[in-house]
Structures are given as structure tokens and as C-alpha cells.
């Protein structure tokens, strides 16, 4: 039975469906030597050869690889892209290295937003968690600047018209603050670009701080430093899989608890220290670009 090319590659861990569609549109994917186009379908067999940037890729990884999920505390100032032509820090810079797979971001946060960002090695899991039809709830802590009254809260709950269609918060809860600087926790079930900020701006209120604190029932881990990550064990990983209709895993690559605590603490310290040093050098050294040197990678 044939399947869409982007679905096959996503399931095998080569990126989210959106990333792979971008690669196909850019002419970077081929099927048995012929340039792939959006809408192509393939039937899996041993003779099938799919290439990305000229390199043959495996399409059978999902059968043998264990689904892995990371919870990452994204700091402000990092981009949700694999490569940045200007050399700015990205969310992929600090993640642990993988062999035979790669981390796929579950959605994205804009450069000025911090908080929980999930990564997985399973492209199909990432795609389903991001898809609006699944209505996976996201929660944000928001510090807003401006006059807020009951009428504005009602507008945000009932829905306001944005340039890409109507939108609303599922819940809005006041959590503290005085005067025109106040904190709210809000939830929604889709991830349109800058949606939280645009909703508040639609009622004349400016967002001065935005933190994602939950994705589904996965909270931002307590005690995790900014720029730090932790790998989810079997129970939360299977919660995410079952949430979007995927079969549960039976094994995990997360080490036993004692070794896990020691390993995780050391890895986080090294990653944060290394990235702080790299970020500092980037700020003081203006990146250069050689003429004719191609830079690729949108996300």
C-alpha cells in the first residue's frame, strides 16, 4: 500500500512533515533517481532508494528505533531553526548528539518567548502533536502591559478576528501583579505563529513576557535551568503517543534513575556552559559569509 513520501520520511525520523515538504519543494529529495514532487506516494520495498541532498536515507528506522522525547527549557534569544545564516544561537545547539536519528522540534517558539519546547526522534509523533485537529492544549504564563477589564477578557475568551482567522483562549486565569503589569495563565489548542501575543494585541494590550509552561499534560520540569534539557522516560513518552493515537513503546533509552541523575546533571552543566561561551563569542564576533558559499536549512 502506498503512502505519501513526507509521511514515510517523517515516520522514519528525518524531520517533521512540514520540514520534509520544504525539502521536497526545494528539489532536495529524489525517489529512485527522479526528483520528488509534493504529492508523490511510495510503496515500501527493499529496492526503493530515497535520497535527501544526494544521500540515501533509511526508511526503516521506525521499526527498530525507540521513540525518544526531550523536554527543553528554551531561553529567550534562541531561534527555532536548525541553521541560521547569521550565526545566531538555535534551540538545536545544546541538544545531545544522536547517531542514526535526529531531534525534531514539536512546534516552535518565537525568539522572544521562553519555556517548554519538546523534541522527539519520531517525525510522525511530532506531526500529530502539532496538528490543529488533535487539539493538544498548550499553557502559557503571560505578563501583560496595559489596561485590562472584564470586556477584554470576554473578547479573548469568545474570540477575536486575526489576519489569519478567528482565535480565542480556551482559559484565562489572573495569577498576580498590580497596576498595568499583570500576569495571566492562558491556554489554547493550536500553535499559530505568535498567536498568544497577537490575541492580546488585538484588544490593545502588549505582552512583555511570555513563557510556555505546559504542552498537553507535560509541564516545564521544575528545577530545569534555561538552556537545560531532560529526556522523558517511558510513562510520559507513552502518554504523548497515546494522546495522538500512536501505539505505546515498550522500552526506553533513559538510564536507570541513579545514573540518570548524575548523567543529566553533568550534561546540563556542560551544555549550558558551552553554549554560554559560544553565545558570548557570537555577540562579540561579527559573522562573515564567504562569497558563493551556500547556506541552507529553514527550520
Amino acid at each position: 500500500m502506498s503512502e505519501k513520501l513526507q509521511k514515510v520520511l517523517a515516520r522514519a525520523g528525518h524531520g517533521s512533515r512540514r520540514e520534509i515538504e520544504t525539502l521536497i519543494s526545494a528539489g532536495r529529495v529524489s525517489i529512485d533517481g527522479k526528483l520528488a514532487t509534493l504529492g508523490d506516494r511510495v510503496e515500501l520495498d527493499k529496492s526503493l532508494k530515497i535520497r535527501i541532498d544526494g544521500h540515501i536515507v533509511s526508511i526503516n528506522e521506525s521499526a527498530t528505533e525507540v521513540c525518544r522525547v526531550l523536554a527543553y527549557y528554551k531561553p529567550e534569544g534562541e531561534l527555532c531553526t536548525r541553521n541560521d545564516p547569521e550565526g545566531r544561537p538555535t534551540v538545536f545547539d545544546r541538544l545531545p548528539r544522536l547517531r542514526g536519528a535526529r531531534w525534531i522540534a514539536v512546534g516552535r517558539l518565537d525568539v522572544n518567548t521562553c519555556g517548554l519546547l519538546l523534541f522527539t526522534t519520531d517525525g510522525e509523533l511530532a506531526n500529530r502533536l502539532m496538528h490543529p485537529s488533535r487539539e493538544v492544549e498548550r499553557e502559557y504564563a503571560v505578563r501583560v502591559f496595559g489596561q485590562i477589564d472584564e470586556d477584554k477578557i470576554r473578547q479573548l475568551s469568545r474570540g477575536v478576528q486575526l489576519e489569519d482567522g478567528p482565535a480565542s483562549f480556551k482559559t484565562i486565569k489572573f495569577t498576580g501583579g498590580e497596576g498595568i503589569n499583570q500576569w495571566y495563565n492562558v491556554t489554547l489548542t493550536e500553535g499559530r505563529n505568535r498567536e498568544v501575543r497577537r490575541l492580546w494585541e488585538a484588544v490593545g494590550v502588549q505582552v512583555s513576557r511570555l513563557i510556555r509552561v505546559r504542552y498537553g499534560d507535560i509541564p516545564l520540569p521544575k528545577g530545569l535551568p534555561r538552556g537545560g534539557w531532560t529526556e522523558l522516560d517511558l510513562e510520559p513518552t507513552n502518554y504523548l503517543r497515546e494522546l495522538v493515537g500512536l501505539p505505546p513503546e515498550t522500552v526506553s533509552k533513559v538510564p536507570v534513575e541513579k545514573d540518570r541523575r548524575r548523567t543529566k546533571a553533568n550534561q546540563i552543566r556542560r551544555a549550558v556552559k558551552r553554549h554560554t561561551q559560544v553565545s558570548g563569542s557570537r555577540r562579540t564576533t561579527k559573522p562573515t559569509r564567504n562569497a558563493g558559499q551556500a547556506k541552507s536549512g529553514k527550520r
Side-chain angles (χ1 to χ4, degrees), residues 30-68:
S30 66
I31 306 170
D32 291 334
K34 296 181 180 179
L35 206 61
T37 59
L38 287 176
D40 283 350
R41 302 178 71 90
V42 295
E43 290 192 18
L44 303 185
D45 61 58
K46 293 182 180 179
S47 65
L48 183 67
K49 289 182 173 57
I50 299 177
R51 291 179 170 84
I52 297 177
D53 293 331
H55 302 288
I56 294 179
V57 296
S58 170
I59 53 176
N60 299 311
E61 291 177 15
S62 59
T64 56
E65 287 295 318
V66 174
C67 171
R68 301 174 67 178

Side-chain angles (χ1 to χ4, degrees), residues 19-153:
E19 286 179 307
I20 293 165
E21 287 169 358
T22 300
L23 295 177
I24 294 172
S25 298
R28 297 169 59 187
V29 183
S30 66
I31 306 170
D32 291 334
K34 296 181 180 179
L35 206 61
T37 59
L38 287 176
D40 283 350
R41 302 178 71 90
V42 295
E43 290 192 18
L44 303 185
D45 61 58
K46 293 182 180 179
S47 65
L48 183 67
K49 289 182 173 57
I50 299 177
R51 291 179 170 84
I52 297 177
D53 293 331
H55 302 288
I56 294 179
V57 296
S58 170
I59 53 176
N60 299 311
E61 291 177 15
S62 59
T64 56
E65 287 295 318
V66 174
C67 171
R68 301 174 67 178
V69 181
L70 290 183
Y72 177 65
Y73 191 162
K74 177 194 175 298
E76 290 144 330
E78 286 188 351
L79 301 175
C80 287
T81 182
R82 292 189 185 276
N83 301 287
D84 179 61
E86 298 179 24
R88 292 170 295 182
T90 82
V91 295
F92 291 92
D93 291 344
R94 312 190 205 206
L95 303 186
R97 301 286 183 251
L98 295 175
R99 288 187 177 181
R102 67 176 184 169
W103 296 115
I104 302 163
V106 179
R108 56 201 310 165
L109 297 173
D110 69 51
V111 67
N112 294 319
T113 300
C114 64
L116 177 63
L117 188 59
L118 297 179
F119 292 86
T120 179
T121 55
D122 188 328
E124 183 61 21
L125 175 61
N127 181 71
R128 294 193 186 191
L129 286 171
M130 289 185 281
H131 202 281
S133 66
R134 298 290 175 173
E135 296 188 339
V136 179
E137 193 171 88
R138 291 88 152 158
E139 181 177 356
Y140 297 82
V142 191
R143 187 178 67 191
V144 294
F145 179 80
Q147 296 295 336
I148 300 170
D149 53 29
E150 287 301 317
D151 182 57
K152 290 182 178 179
I153 297 298

